């Protein structure tokens, strides 16, 4: 019970971070209130929706118990109102501080959602299908962001740069192995923390994956 | 029986309007015949397909009884042929008249599809899950247009402007309440008409939702 | 058994060709390694995934037996490594030869996947729903490419030009009729070959579908 409560809290932190990332993309694209709400909420719960559809877990959990939808919705409303009341905030110093906090929240969300996705697969009886379990973990973590980017008309962030999705992939693989050899709680904590740490290190030190073609060097 | 016939007719009106909106987007993007057919038919039946997938109602109804697919297909063929035979029509006066009629048809379709979506959720036994029911109503109404816009590579219309999706949302919420307190037929008529009226008023008076950032004023 | 082996080989040829087409799009868009892997593998197995979701065949087959995922993944890795080690290859003569071979492989894949899609529908008991069966055949053939293009932010190739999807549509319709009147093996061979031949003839002679509006002639 205690565990569930703590896990619920970190999932909520992730929901707030994901919703706000979707809302900021929509605000920068000058979408209207509905656009901001749809993009924010989709980023927050879209990954879980795709996971449930692929698992045949329909209607997806988010519809049966819309607590995460409501949390995402409220986050978006607050953000929209703050920006609306104070346009300058988008170019102020506080936005930097805000983005730094949200970056940490987002990392926490990525860790929590990755673990949740795999747990959903295991509970549905697919624990032995490691590829499926890892895929669903990563999809739960990054799927909302992919839907956000497709709807916003930009190439999905995870395909373009940073180590973002890799943090989720590594955590997911580690989690499926830990589940076999260690207790559930231990596996959850280690794997989720691993995702958070890799994700934050990747942002801090600008880790990037290689590209096939090198940029031409600037002419001196 | 009489009710079903009338409802079938207004759904057909919606199918024609939705298919023609998809076909016009494809024609303006200079897609070829297949592109025009795919975008037209997807706009007409895509919302219902997404609804059925989320409900676990598979294969989606449109595949088991493709009467709406055929209606959408024929609409697209007629439109394609007319434009092909008379290129000037796209810049003529008649296109204005055509767009005015299609705007009304589209409003009728939005009302009918919103109600249909909720009815599908209720019949599948999810009448008590209000959020799910409302979501599926709106998805049935606007989902085809969202798929159209994603495939055409433009930010979905409903996220950008006008009160379009809000008409469907308001009608859907009203319908779920009316279903509890009033008879089915009464609820259908009132809710669908509400969607149509809001949708037409919104177009007529250019209702828009607020944006977070105001456009900079033009320099005088 | 013998049949299955041969069919498995031509499906593998298709998987390699589809994965490499996705990887090339990603490389040209300068996506990073993860982007190249995701786009390559999605192109290879995305059509079958969409087919299984629409059929209610969940989790989709690709997750339960990821042999095609692995084949696509290895293809992408090889391609990425070759381009990375030799940047000039993208502008060399060998790329022309490579594209010619891949074009043939791609045609073989389109034929094989179209037939596979219909077989899946028939085995799920929907053989009598011809529209569904044909749709699922074509979706298996072209769906991966559509997902690739949506994720890469470009209007799906099949909507823009060439006769690409039509080869699959014609083969799918012929196959559903042959299944009724002829033996399974005969139907498979004739239909798949028909797709390959139409697809190659279409590329060779630049067959295009008509568009609604003609391009304005260049001013002389």
């Amino acid at each position: 019970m205690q565990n569930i409560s703590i896990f619920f809290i970190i999932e909520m932190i992730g929901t707030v971070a994901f919703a706000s990332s979707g809302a900021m993309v929509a605000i920068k694209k000058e979408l209207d209130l509905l656009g901001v709400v749809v993009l924010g909420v989709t980023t927050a719960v879209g990954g879980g929706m795709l996971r449930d559809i692929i698992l045949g877990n329909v209607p997806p959990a988010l519809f049966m118990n819309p607590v995460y939808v409501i949390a995402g919705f409220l986050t978006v409303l607050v953000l929209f109102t703050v920006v609306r009341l104070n346009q300058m905030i988008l170019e102020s110093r506080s936005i930097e501080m805000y983005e730094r906090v949200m970056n940490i929240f987002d990392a926490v969300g990525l860790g929590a959602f990755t673990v949740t996705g795999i747990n959903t697969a295991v509970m549905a009886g697919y624990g032995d299908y490691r590829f499926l379990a890892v895929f669903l973990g990563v999809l739960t973590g990054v799927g909302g962001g992919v839907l956000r980017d497709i709807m916003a008309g930009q190439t999905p962030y995870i395909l373009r740069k940073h180590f973002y999705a890799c943090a989720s992939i590594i955590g997911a693989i580690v989690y499926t192995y830990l589940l076999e050899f260690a207790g559930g709680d231990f596996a959850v904590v280690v794997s989720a923390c691993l995702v958070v740490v890799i994700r934050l290190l990747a942002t801090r030190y600008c880790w990037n994956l290689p590209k096939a073609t090198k940029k031409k060097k600037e002419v001196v």
Side-chain angles (χ1 to χ4, degrees), chain A:
Chain A
M1 193 61 201
Q2 189 62 17
N3 276 333
I4 291 173
S5 304
I6 291 171
F7 204 74
F8 179 75
I9 289 168
I10 66 170
E11 282 202 323
M12 271 296 165
I13 290 173
T15 304
V16 167
F18 280 30
S20 88
S21 93
M24 290 306 276
V25 168
I27 288 172
K28 280 172 190 161
K29 290 244 161 189
E30 302 195 353
L31 303 185
D32 65 16
L33 177 56
L34 183 77
V36 178
V37 168
V38 170
L39 239 59
V41 174
T42 302
T43 310
V45 302
M49 184 186 74
L50 294 178
R51 174 202 63 212
D52 287 347
I53 289 175
I54 285 179
L55 261 181
N57 200 353
V58 285
L62 76 106
F63 294 112
M64 310 312 276
N65 176 16
V67 58
Y68 297 104
V69 174
I70 294 165
F73 181 68
L74 294 178
T75 305
V76 171
L77 280 194
V78 169
L79 207 67
F80 186 92
T81 310
V82 169
V83 174
R84 174 89 189 174
L85 292 178
N86 183 359
Q87 308 275 314
M88 309 310 294
I89 212 169
L90 287 179
E91 284 140 31
S92 72
R93 280 244 176 111
S94 32
I95 199 77
E96 273 179 44
M97 173 67 84
Y98 163 83
E99 285 184 350
R100 212 167 296 168
V101 173
M102 275 304 148
N103 192 43
I104 296 171
F105 278 26
D106 194 278
V108 172
L110 188 63
F113 288 1
T114 301
V115 166
T116 304
I118 293 175
N119 284 346
T120 309
V122 171
M123 283 192 299
Y126 297 108
D128 289 342
Y129 294 88
R130 180 159 286 131
F131 172 64
L132 176 63
V134 169
F135 178 83
L136 292 178
V138 176
L139 183 65
T140 311
V142 309
V146 171
L147 286 180
R148 172 199 66 208
D149 291 338
I150 288 177
M151 292 177 86
Q154 55 198 24
T155 304
Y157 182 76
I158 62 154
L159 304 184
R160 278 180 297 146
K161 49 179 179 173
H162 293 317
F163 213 68
Y164 194 91
C166 293
S168 174
I169 293 172
I170 294 169
I173 292 172
V174 168
Y175 185 55
T176 58
Y177 280 97
L178 284 182
L179 272 184
E180 277 180 39
F181 303 115
D185 285 0
F186 176 77
V188 166
V189 173
V190 170
S191 316
C193 289
L194 188 66
V195 175
V196 174
V197 169
I198 295 175
R199 168 84 172 69
L200 291 179
L201 285 175
T203 316
R204 179 73 184 76
Y205 295 102
C206 293
W207 290 354
N208 283 307
L209 287 168
K211 295 186 174 185
T213 54
K214 285 155 206 152
K215 274 266 161 48
K216 271 124 195 158
K217 291 240 177 73
E218 300 284 320
V219 184
V220 186

